[in-house]
Amino acid sequence: FHANYAPFKDEKGEKAGIVMVIQDITERQKLDNMRKEFVANVSHELKTPLTSIKSYTETLLDGALDDKEITKHFLGVVKSEADRMDRLVRDLLQLSRLDYKREHWNKKETNIVKLTEDSVLKMRINAKNKNQTLSFKGEERVICFIDPDKIEQVIINILSNAIKYTPENGEIKVLVEKDEFRGIIRIIDNGMGIPEKDIPRLFERFYRVDKARSRELGGTGLGLSIAQQIVKAHEGEINIKSKEGEGTEVIIKLPLKEKEV
Ligand code: ADP
């Protein structure tokens, strides 16, 4: 709480009392803390790869350059750290476009069954590299009015999480169905799952269950917040059900094109 007070006088100029304004500043403080935390996170996420780029380049300049094999290895590290910074900055720019409603939407009638199946095909190689089975099942046609590129981005993001956080030989299932009003995309894995206490916070920027593991796997910690903003911009919703050690299900719901309803 924040309190402000001022004395007031009666018509004779005598002190008559004080006026006190008590403000609930918890909301404001919460926002302020979130902003500070965000800046701290961004700085840290950029600083880590930058430090690594600097030290590898310095070692090269100090003489490691004479060894061709070492040079190749070091430049490989520099490139991958630069790629990480690139991903992070791209994600931040997209979040900022979404925040300021400056994202450009190209919405059209789209069969989300075909869109999802195409996204699954694009990720097949990633699943194969981990010896995982990736299956797809869908109805014939489910038509939604969406920006196909953006929704594809969401599906690919969720699928790549499913692949990343599921061990070798795991199983990932993708289903597309519809109810009376909505097209529904389900992405189900039997991977490591998410502890119950973390589930409500997953859509927060930079929130990760295991920071080290996410970084190691190339994640920025922004994927789910971006996915949620994109889905919300379509008047849809995205939910996560999960059990630690058993697996995770992500459910994306998008309104059907009116004629279909
Ligand atoms: P990241 O770039 O870290 O993957 P996301 O915003 O996409 O960031 O996801 C946030 C966190 O949610 C991840 O760091 C991970 O801990 C958890 N997570 C997301 N998807 C899954 C999944 N399918 N299985 C287990 N954990 C997941």
Side-chain angles (χ1 to χ4, degrees):
F1 288 98
H2 188 256
N4 251 322
Y5 61 91
F8 70 89
K9 296 174 178 167
D10 61 18
E11 55 274 23
K12 286 184 230 139
E14 302 280 327
K15 277 187 190 151
I18 55 169
V19 193
M20 194 155 167
V21 180
I22 300 171
Q23 252 180 322
D24 182 355
I25 55 159
T26 38
E27 259 326 289
R28 209 170 74 194
Q29 204 148 45
K30 232 162 72 191
L31 278 175
D32 208 38
N33 285 343
M34 271 169 71
R35 189 182 52 81
K36 284 182 190 153
E37 207 179 302
F38 182 73
V39 174
N41 275 323
V42 172
S43 319
H44 180 73
E45 295 295 331
L46 284 172
K47 179 112 176 81
T48 314
L50 197 53
T51 306
S52 163
I53 288 174
K54 273 181 72 177
S55 67
Y56 277 87
T57 332
E58 275 160 18
T59 316
L60 281 173
L61 289 172
D62 282 349
L65 208 52
D66 299 334
D67 185 316
K68 208 164 175 198
E69 274 311 300
I70 292 184
T71 303
K72 232 172 127 180
H73 171 63
F74 279 20
L75 287 178
V77 177
V78 169
K79 166 81 166 68
S80 85
E81 295 296 308
D83 284 343
R84 164 187 288 286
M85 292 178 80
D86 187 44
R87 275 198 303 277
L88 183 66
V89 172
R90 274 168 202 264
D91 280 0
L92 286 169
L93 286 171
Q94 186 173 24
L95 265 179
S96 143
R97 284 198 304 274
L98 289 161
D99 281 344
Y100 288 103
K101 311 245 179 291
R102 286 198 195 123
E103 186 68 296
H104 178 73
W105 301 102
N106 189 8
K107 293 187 186 174
K108 48 182 136 183
E109 284 178 21
T110 308
N111 181 6
I112 61 164
V113 181
K114 175 87 171 53
L115 183 77
T116 309
E117 190 172 15
D118 289 347
S119 315
V120 168
L121 283 177
K122 287 187 186 168
M123 295 306 285
R124 190 133 271 169
I125 181 77
N126 302 56
K128 199 161 169 253
N129 288 340
K130 287 184 80 178
N131 218 9
Q132 296 163 334
T133 50
L134 172 57
S135 65
F136 172 81
K137 216 169 101 190
E139 315 194 358
E140 187 93 345
R141 268 160 59 87
V142 177
I143 309 290
C144 295
F145 189 72
I146 55 166
D147 181 326
D149 291 341
K150 299 288 190 312
I151 296 298
E152 180 184 272
Q153 184 194 345
V154 171
I155 300 168
I156 287 195
N157 190 288
I158 305 296
L159 259 176
S160 94
N161 276 349
I163 294 168
K164 276 195 297 192
Y165 301 109
T166 297
E168 304 245 324
N169 306 314
E171 194 184 347
I172 296 148
K173 287 192 270 189
V174 181
L175 310 170
V176 183
E177 359 173 301
K178 64 177 173 183
D179 66 14
E180 217 182 327
F181 304 109
R182 292 164 309 189
I184 303 166
I185 305 165
R186 294 179 194 278
I187 296 162
I188 306 159
D189 67 60
N190 66 351
M192 55 192 287
I194 301 160
E196 206 179 331
K197 66 166 177 36
D198 294 300
I199 296 179
R201 302 195 59 190
L202 291 175
F203 295 103
E204 287 176 24
R205 294 167 190 196
F206 292 117
Y207 194 82
R208 294 134 147 166
V209 177
D210 180 340
K211 267 198 195 314
R213 186 193 288 258
S214 154
R215 280 210 198 92
E216 200 183 299
L217 297 171
T220 62
L222 296 173
L224 283 178
S225 4
I226 294 177
Q228 188 185 46
Q229 293 230 38
I230 292 177
V231 171
K232 277 191 174 165
H234 288 85
E235 276 96 48
E237 57 179 279
I238 176 165
N239 292 297
I240 299 184
K241 289 189 212 158
S242 187
K243 238 188 176 140
E244 198 176 4
E246 289 184 19
T248 302
E249 171 171 7
V250 181
I251 306 138
I252 303 163
K253 295 181 178 167
L254 296 162
L256 290 175
K257 185 185 73 97
E258 259 141 58
K259 254 200 307 201
E260 301 276 314
V261 173

